[in-house]
Amino acid sequence: MAFQKSFTLRSGAQGNYSRLITYRVDRMTREAVGLFSLFVDSTAAHASKDSLTPWIAKLRVTGDAFDAYFSSAALDADTMANFYRAAKAEPMISDFGSDLFSDAQDV
């Protein structure tokens, strides 16, 4: 799973492939955190080349939103898929705005 959407970093570097690189789900505190990195393209990402930036966006889901995506009662038990679903709908922490993945293509 990944997102395809073009971004230009402050350095001028451009990439169009973002994917979840690390995440943590804590059911005790009802908090999930995921970091997304930007790669030049899917070929670079799948060839294990370095990302253009350590992370382009951070997703932090808590409370009722956590329950919708990550609780044992959530519709889908696929944790990574739920991170991608949440990244399209929930506010992100990023220089590109809180809705940067809302219109990204799933790939």
Side-chain angles (χ1 to χ4, degrees), residues 53 60 65 80 91 104:
T53 181
R60 183 172 178 260
M80 286 189 64

Side-chain angles (χ1 to χ4, degrees), residues 8-80:
T8 301
L9 301 176
R10 289 183 191 158
S11 66
Q14 296 179 336
N16 70 5
Y17 190 86
S18 299
R19 71 177 182 196
L20 183 67
I21 56 160
T22 188
Y23 65 86
R24 178 181 58 80
V25 176
D26 186 337
R27 287 185 172 79
M28 298 269 300
T29 62
R30 293 172 61 210
E31 178 183 64
V33 176
L35 297 179
F36 291 80
S37 280
L38 176 66
F39 295 83
V40 170
D41 54 26
S42 64
T43 302
H46 293 292
S48 298
K49 296 201 176 187
D50 289 340
S51 61
L52 293 174
T53 181
W55 62 276
I56 189 173
K58 179 178 182 178
L59 174 66
R60 183 172 178 260
V61 181
T62 61
D64 291 341
F66 175 89
D67 293 341
Y69 296 101
F70 301 106
S71 74
S72 57
L75 294 175
D76 188 341
D78 184 339
T79 300
M80 286 189 64

